[in-house]
């Protein structure tokens, strides 16, 4: 029997989707989570406890593994990579971020963690494939409470652009590079198929639920205060800088998903339709 693919973050949308794809293809997979008892997987899927912040959990999770799907956590990345080399891991697919591609990435708190893991992985000598998605379509779920309760979304820059990518496309891309050797060893910038403003995304959600959703512009300071329970000031400031930079400026759109999966990327409207119940009162 071939070696299992270790999938970190298996409770997340991308990790769980990748586990399902590998299993459906008849490939051995080891689903890793900090709380494996909470995984909702078929009995024939091997699970293991792996916490990227606890090096003591690394050896057992990596035993017998040749490929890894890795989330970008720089906390103990050198220890993880040393354990991976000792276990004989030959290929790691890293879920990074397109934020590493932009000017000033070294000083951006969002980009820094991904850049640190990319650099450590490159230096490790292990064959690496870097997946660099931009904004996730699923980030729109953060508007759900406001839409359900008031029918309004408050944003600081309604005209700021993004090219949101469906999480299933990221899972498909990861599956492709894990199963097709010719795709390995490169970096892929992954986006959705179109650049949309925040207002256009909100309109697409409205169309999906058959209800008009109002867009209210708030000051950056008010938005930051509202986000204080969910993110630190540095992250909020970095996001506001991004929003301002792309206000009225289309985001990059790539063919990365199509190159890896041989089909077009899913649209934001696709995601909105699939998740419409999330936004209904």
């Amino acid at each position: 029997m071939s070696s299992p693919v270790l999938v970190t973050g298996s409770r997340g949308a991308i990790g769980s989707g990748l586990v399902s794809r590998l299993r459906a293809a008849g490939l051995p997979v080891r689903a890793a989570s900090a709380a494996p008892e909470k995984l909702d997987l078929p009995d024939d899927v091997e699970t293991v406890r792996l916490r990227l912040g606890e090096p003591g959990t690394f050896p057992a999770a990596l035993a017998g593994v040749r490929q890894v799907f890795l989330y970008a956590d720089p906390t103990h990345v050198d220890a993880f990579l040393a354990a991976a080399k000792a276990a004989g891991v030959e290929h790691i697919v890293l879920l990074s971020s397109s934020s590493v591609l932009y000017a000033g990435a070294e000083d951006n708190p969002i980009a820094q963690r991904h850049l640190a893991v990319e650099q450590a992985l490159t230096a490790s000598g292990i064959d690496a494939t870097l997946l660099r998605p931009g904004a996730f379509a699923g980030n729109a779920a953060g508007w759900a409470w406001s839409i359900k309760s008031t029918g309004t979304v408050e944003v600081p820059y309604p005209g700021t652009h993004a090219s949101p990518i469906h999480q299933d496309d990221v899972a498909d891309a990861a599956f492709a590079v894990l199963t097709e050797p010719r795709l390995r060893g490169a970096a892929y910038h992954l986006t959705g198929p179109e650049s949309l403003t925040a207002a256009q995304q909100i309109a697409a959600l409205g169309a999906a639920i058959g209800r008009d959703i109002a867009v209210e512009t708030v000051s950056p300071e008010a938005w930051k205060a509202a986000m204080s329970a969910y993110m630190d000031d540095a992250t909020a400031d970095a996001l506001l800088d991004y929003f301002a930079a792309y206000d009225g400026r289309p985001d990059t759109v790539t063919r990365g998903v199509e190159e890896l999966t041989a089909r077009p990327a899913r649209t934001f409207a696709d995601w909105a339709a699939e998740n419409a119940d999330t936004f209904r009162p």
Side-chain angles (χ1 to χ4, degrees), residues 90-103:
E90 299 168 353
H91 178 220
I92 293 178
V93 178
L94 177 67
L95 182 61
S96 186
S97 164
S98 64
S99 61
V100 305
L101 300 172
Y102 300 125

Side-chain angles (χ1 to χ4, degrees), residues 223-252:
W223 181 87
K224 181 177 176 180
M227 294 294 107
S228 62
Y230 309 102
M231 64 184 71
D232 58 50
D233 286 351
T235 300
D237 287 337
L239 286 171
L240 285 169
D241 287 345
Y242 172 85
F243 297 155
Y246 282 85
D247 187 21
R249 172 188 170 191
D251 191 18
T252 300

Side-chain angles (χ1 to χ4, degrees), residues 3-176:
S3 302
V5 176
L6 177 67
V7 178
T8 69
S10 291
R11 289 179 64 199
I14 296 170
S16 62
L18 178 56
V19 168
S20 296
R21 285 158 174 75
L22 291 167
R23 178 178 179 270
L27 300 173
V29 57
R30 181 178 297 165
S33 171
E37 70 280 1
K38 296 182 180 179
L39 290 170
D40 184 16
L41 296 170
D43 292 340
D44 61 347
V45 176
E46 181 187 3
T47 63
V48 66
R49 182 176 182 272
L50 172 64
R51 188 185 295 273
L52 293 174
E54 294 183 15
T57 66
F58 298 168
L62 289 161
V65 167
R66 294 296 174 266
Q67 294 197 89
V68 176
F69 175 73
L70 180 64
Y71 275 73
D73 183 339
T75 312
H76 294 288
V77 64
D78 290 331
F80 183 86
L81 294 174
K85 289 193 76 169
V89 169
E90 299 168 353
H91 178 220
I92 293 178
V93 178
L94 177 67
L95 182 61
S96 186
S97 164
S98 64
S99 61
V100 305
L101 300 172
Y102 300 125
E106 298 83 359
D107 300 317
N108 183 302
I110 299 172
Q112 281 174 342
R113 60 185 289 113
H114 296 92
L115 194 60
V117 178
E118 283 196 9
Q119 291 170 342
L121 185 51
T122 300
S124 74
I126 300 173
D127 192 18
T129 302
L130 309 178
L131 300 182
R132 293 167 169 167
F136 292 121
N139 292 349
W143 293 327
W145 182 87
S146 180
I147 290 172
K148 289 191 290 187
S149 60
T150 70
T152 301
V153 176
E154 297 180 345
V155 290
Y157 297 97
T160 194
H161 278 255
S163 49
I165 184 169
H166 197 302
Q167 284 94 322
D168 283 349
D169 282 333
V170 182
D172 285 342
F175 177 82

